[in-house]
Amino acid sequence: VQLQASGGGLVQAGGSRRLSCTASGRAFGWFVMGWFRQAPGKEREFVAAISGSGSSTGYADSVKGRFTVSRDNASNTVYLQLSSLKVEDTAVYHCARARTLTRAADAYENWGQGTQVTVSS
Protein backbone atom coordinates (compact mmCIF):
# COMPACT_ATOMS: atom_id res chain seq x y z
CA VAL A 1 0.00 0.00 0.00
CA GLN A 2 1.25 3.45 -0.88
CA LEU A 3 -0.12 6.67 0.50
CA GLN A 4 0.36 9.97 -1.28
CA ALA A 5 -0.46 13.27 0.35
CA SER A 6 -1.09 16.38 -1.70
CA GLY A 7 -2.62 19.82 -1.52
CA GLY A 8 -0.02 21.69 0.44
CA GLY A 9 1.26 25.12 -0.43
CA LEU A 10 1.69 28.66 0.79
CA VAL A 11 -1.30 30.25 2.50
CA GLN A 12 -1.80 33.40 4.54
CA ALA A 13 -2.66 33.26 8.20
CA GLY A 14 -6.39 32.96 8.63
CA GLY A 15 -6.73 31.17 5.33
CA SER A 16 -7.79 27.64 4.43
CA ARG A 17 -6.38 24.69 2.59
CA ARG A 18 -7.57 21.16 1.88
CA LEU A 19 -5.11 18.31 1.97
CA SER A 20 -5.76 14.96 0.33
CA CYS A 21 -4.22 11.56 0.86
CA THR A 22 -4.89 8.83 -1.65
CA ALA A 23 -4.13 5.18 -1.00
CA SER A 24 -3.36 2.44 -3.44
CA GLY A 25 -4.55 -1.11 -2.90
CA ARG A 26 -7.65 -2.64 -1.41
CA ALA A 27 -9.47 -2.55 1.90
CA PHE A 28 -8.99 1.17 2.42
CA GLY A 29 -12.18 1.31 4.45
CA TRP A 30 -10.89 -1.25 6.95
CA PHE A 31 -8.27 1.10 8.31
CA VAL A 32 -8.12 4.16 10.46
CA MET A 33 -6.43 7.02 8.64
CA GLY A 34 -4.38 9.55 10.50
CA TRP A 35 -2.74 12.87 9.79
CA PHE A 36 0.47 13.90 11.48
CA ARG A 37 2.74 16.89 10.98
CA GLN A 38 6.35 17.74 11.56
CA ALA A 39 7.77 21.23 11.70
CA PRO A 40 11.49 21.93 11.30
CA GLY A 41 13.38 21.07 14.45
CA LYS A 42 10.32 19.57 16.10
CA GLU A 43 9.04 16.07 16.65
CA ARG A 44 6.24 14.63 14.60
CA GLU A 45 2.87 15.30 16.20
CA PHE A 46 -0.60 13.88 15.84
CA VAL A 47 -3.13 16.10 14.08
CA ALA A 48 -6.29 14.11 13.38
CA ALA A 49 -7.60 10.62 12.71
CA ILE A 50 -10.76 9.06 11.34
CA SER A 51 -12.18 5.57 11.68
CA GLY A 52 -12.65 3.27 8.71
CA SER A 53 -16.34 4.05 8.41
CA GLY A 54 -15.82 7.74 9.05
CA SER A 55 -18.13 7.68 12.05
CA SER A 56 -15.44 8.50 14.61
CA THR A 57 -12.78 11.16 14.57
CA GLY A 58 -10.12 12.52 16.88
CA TYR A 59 -8.18 15.77 16.91
CA ALA A 60 -5.21 17.29 18.62
CA ASP A 61 -6.23 20.09 20.96
CA SER A 62 -4.16 22.53 18.92
CA VAL A 63 -6.33 22.03 15.82
CA LYS A 64 -9.73 21.19 17.29
CA GLY A 65 -12.40 23.44 15.84
CA ARG A 66 -10.13 24.55 13.00
CA PHE A 67 -9.30 21.33 11.13
CA THR A 68 -11.73 18.71 9.86
CA VAL A 69 -10.85 15.19 8.79
CA SER A 70 -13.09 13.25 6.40
CA ARG A 71 -12.83 10.35 4.00
CA ASP A 72 -14.29 8.96 0.80
CA ASN A 73 -13.82 5.21 0.79
CA ALA A 74 -15.07 4.91 -2.77
CA SER A 75 -12.03 6.84 -3.98
CA ASN A 76 -9.56 5.63 -1.32
CA THR A 77 -9.03 9.20 -0.17
CA VAL A 78 -8.84 10.91 3.19
CA TYR A 79 -9.02 14.68 3.50
CA LEU A 80 -7.86 17.23 6.01
CA GLN A 81 -9.57 20.60 5.76
CA LEU A 82 -7.39 23.26 7.35
CA SER A 83 -9.11 26.50 8.36
CA SER A 84 -8.19 29.58 10.38
CA LEU A 85 -4.58 28.71 9.75
CA LYS A 86 -1.86 30.01 12.02
CA VAL A 87 1.84 30.46 11.40
CA GLU A 88 2.49 27.66 13.87
CA ASP A 89 0.59 25.25 11.60
CA THR A 90 3.52 25.40 9.19
CA ALA A 91 4.82 21.85 8.77
CA VAL A 92 5.06 18.86 6.51
CA TYR A 93 1.80 16.97 6.80
CA HIS A 94 1.82 13.17 6.47
CA CYS A 95 -0.91 10.58 6.30
CA ALA A 96 -0.69 7.00 7.52
CA ARG A 97 -2.99 4.12 8.39
CA ALA A 98 -3.61 2.17 11.55
CA ARG A 99 -5.87 -0.57 12.88
CA THR A 100 -7.17 1.42 15.82
CA LEU A 101 -8.19 5.03 16.36
CA THR A 102 -5.19 6.30 18.26
CA ARG A 103 -2.89 9.30 18.53
CA ALA A 104 0.20 7.12 18.89
CA ALA A 105 2.43 7.44 15.85
CA ASP A 106 3.96 4.02 16.37
CA ALA A 107 0.56 2.43 15.73
CA TYR A 108 0.53 3.79 12.19
CA GLU A 109 2.14 2.28 9.12
CA ASN A 110 2.59 2.95 5.43
CA TRP A 111 3.69 6.53 5.94
CA GLY A 112 3.46 8.41 2.70
CA GLN A 113 5.51 11.31 1.51
CA GLY A 114 4.20 14.42 3.10
CA THR A 115 2.99 17.68 1.71
CA GLN A 116 4.37 21.03 2.88
CA VAL A 117 2.03 23.63 4.29
CA THR A 118 3.53 27.04 4.89
CA VAL A 119 1.47 29.71 6.63
CA SER A 120 2.66 33.27 6.26
CA SER A 121 1.83 36.10 8.63
Side-chain angles (χ1 to χ4, degrees):
V1 172
Q2 290 187 327
L3 302 177
Q4 180 64 56
S6 62
L10 178 64
V11 61
Q12 287 191 330
S16 299
R17 199 83 179 181
R18 189 176 80 159
L19 307 183
S20 301
C21 172
T22 301
S24 64
R26 302 178 179 179
F28 176 75
W30 293 2
F31 293 91
V32 167
M33 295 300 297
W35 285 96
F36 289 75
R37 67 186 182 186
Q38 187 164 20
K42 295 187 176 181
E43 293 188 355
R44 181 171 54 194
E45 66 171 340
F46 170 80
V47 176
I50 186 168
S51 63
S53 67
S55 60
S56 298
T57 57
Y59 296 92
D61 288 344
S62 59
V63 308
K64 198 173 295 182
R66 299 189 299 121
F67 291 7
T68 303
V69 61
S70 62
R71 66 190 297 159
D72 177 6
N73 288 344
S75 63
N76 283 14
T77 303
V78 60
Y79 302 99
L80 186 66
Q81 178 68 45
L82 317 178
S83 301
S84 302
L85 281 162
K86 305 176 181 180
V87 172
E88 51 264 41
D89 294 319
T90 295
V92 177
Y93 285 72
H94 297 268
C95 58
R97 72 178 195 180
R99 297 183 184 274
T100 60
L101 193 64
T102 176
R103 298 169 181 240
D106 59 8
Y108 287 82
E109 59 185 12
N110 299 104
W111 293 87
Q113 286 191 337
T115 186
Q116 175 73 48
V117 174
T118 301
V119 184
S120 63
S121 59

